[in-house]
Amino acid sequence: MKNNLLFPRLLAAIGLLVLVAGCGRQLQDEATTQPPEVGAATIGAQVRPPSNVILFYPDGYDKHHWDALRTLAVGPDGRLNWDRLPYTATSRSMGGATSTIHAYGVFVPDGGHGTDMGRPITALSGQQLSIMQEAMRAGFATALVQSGLLTEGHSAFVASTPAWWHVQEIARQVIESGVDVIFGGGEALLLPLGVMGRHGVGVRTDGRNLIQRAKELGYTVVYTREELLALPATATRVLGVFAHWVTYNPMPEEALRAAGLPLYLPGAPTIAEMSRAALEILSRNPRTAARGFFMVAEEEGTDDFGNVNNARGSFEAGRRADQAFGVFREFVHRNPRTMVLTTTDSSASGKRIRNWEWAWWRGSVVTPPYDGVDGYFTAPFVSAPNRSGSSFRFAVAWTTVMTDVTGNVLVRAEGLNAGRVRELGVVSDTDIYRLMYLTLFDRWLP
């Protein structure tokens, strides 16, 4: 999830090399967060059953994206896993520093990453800690799960830097945060410049080898879907590094076709597979049995494919996100003292769909042109049948390119305290923090 709508991140290697080279000069001046000491309970002496929170970001997927996916995948009157989350409210999020606000429960201007324009944040709880850091100090197990870079917006729950593009420092703080399960891409940001890893060459300019550092901290490191699925049952601290950069190829359809590249890397686990593995690892953690766990997960492809106007990629990313919702709902049904909470910050390039019969102009008098199954002016998508068995052809229209726009964002929830979402009706970004804090610490903050 991006913390800056004005500067959408294009994840091509050239752009990232420019970013990491620039942030290398900033490392000595950046505000850093020392990893919290795990085990100092702050809930109080009262004994309570363990409780869990799963916060999931399908980044850039607003209601219109979900409406389009529903039409394609299950038909216009079908139901996705996302549709089955029972409690819904409108979000008042305007994008920007969304992840940071969710992590601390206070409004901060866009620009910082886990900071208020570089200054430390005092959270709504009164602590100079994010809600994840406070949960760790209270003895909860934790997880960060990501299909994109491990330095994406979700990392603001444990990393604090003046801006999101200080990715080398964010990566260091994530690895040294004490989080039990860390899954994502971005091996390049974990290895020194020129050092070959499993997926490619490192780009760090400070000489640090964060893969080695993770092993010193007790992490079992895995690199592929097969290695993830073969983890021993004794592993409770795991680092999964599933790509050199991200687990997908964020390019327009035409560029992917010319390069012969797939949408997603075949050796990397899906967000649903990562999430299922993370839940299994968290479930066998002794701290989960004592207190519970807090997990933040994000599908970043939903945003990045939309931002390059790749309709097919956007649908595939949404399908994968919906599979993750199936995993989370299954877990909640087995573990009712769990809240699943989901929202996003924006709409990736303002995705809409239109009937194919209105798109036959081939873009000659319609702006923007329609997007088909393999790029602009290609064959139409075909909806799944409706209840009467009828399908229809449609095209995707994008309202913009390479940016996020304010969208029709919803907040949805299931499980413990999920009914509060419906009671609120309209949910602000600070309410996301309150809902999670209530579930973890049995306290609704004013």
Side-chain angles (χ1 to χ4, degrees), residues 285-310:
N285 191 311
R287 283 179 294 165
T288 296
R291 288 292 191 187
F293 68 78
F294 180 29
M295 172 175 165
V296 179
E298 183 170 10
E299 171 56 60
E300 188 65 28
T302 45
D303 192 59
D304 287 346
F305 279 117
N307 281 339
V308 295
N309 288 183
N310 186 327

Side-chain angles (χ1 to χ4, degrees), residues 91-298:
S91 170
R92 288 188 288 178
S93 175
M94 295 299 291
T98 306
S99 296
T100 298
I101 299 170
H102 292 171
Y104 288 87
V106 296
F107 288 107
V108 295
D110 192 13
H113 184 87
T115 67
D116 181 356
M117 301 298 288
R119 297 181 295 271
I121 301 173
T122 298
L124 188 62
S125 67
Q127 301 286 324
Q128 277 199 345
L129 299 168
S130 73
I131 188 171
M132 181 166 282
Q133 290 167 335
E134 195 168 341
M136 291 167 68
R137 290 201 175 189
F140 288 83
T142 50
L144 292 172
V145 177
Q146 172 66 252
S147 67
L149 295 172
L150 53 79
T151 59
E152 289 287 352
H154 75 312
S155 64
F157 281 83
V158 296
S160 300
T161 62
W164 60 259
W165 57 80
H166 296 166
V167 289
Q168 290 193 94
E169 177 61 12
I170 293 171
R172 182 193 69 80
Q173 292 186 35
V174 169
I175 295 300
E176 296 184 344
S177 65
V179 171
D180 297 289
V181 180
I182 303 170
F183 291 164
E187 183 189 32
L189 301 173
L190 304 180
L191 295 172
L193 184 66
V195 172
M196 178 59 69
R198 286 285 296 275
H199 303 293
V201 178
V203 300
R204 292 192 67 86
T205 57
D206 61 0
R208 289 186 170 119
N209 187 322
L210 295 180
I211 298 290
Q212 184 59 40
R213 177 62 175 151
K215 293 177 180 178
E216 293 169 357
L217 292 171
Y219 287 91
T220 300
V221 183
V222 294
Y223 295 91
T224 64
R225 173 189 291 112
E226 289 71 22
E227 291 179 3
L228 178 65
L229 297 178
L231 274 171
T234 54
T236 57
R237 175 167 280 200
V238 182
L239 170 63
V241 186
F242 300 120
H244 188 226
W245 293 113
V246 296
T247 65
Y248 47 89
N249 292 301
M251 305 176 189
E253 299 95 322
E254 296 83 358
L256 290 177
R257 183 168 63 248
L261 294 173
L263 292 172
Y264 277 80
L265 306 184
T270 67
I271 190 66
E273 291 168 335
M274 292 187 218
S275 297
R276 187 181 299 279
L279 291 172
E280 291 174 357
I281 296 166
L282 290 170
S283 294
R284 59 179 178 248
N285 191 311
R287 283 179 294 165
T288 296
R291 288 292 191 187
F293 68 78
F294 180 29
M295 172 175 165
V296 179
E298 183 170 10

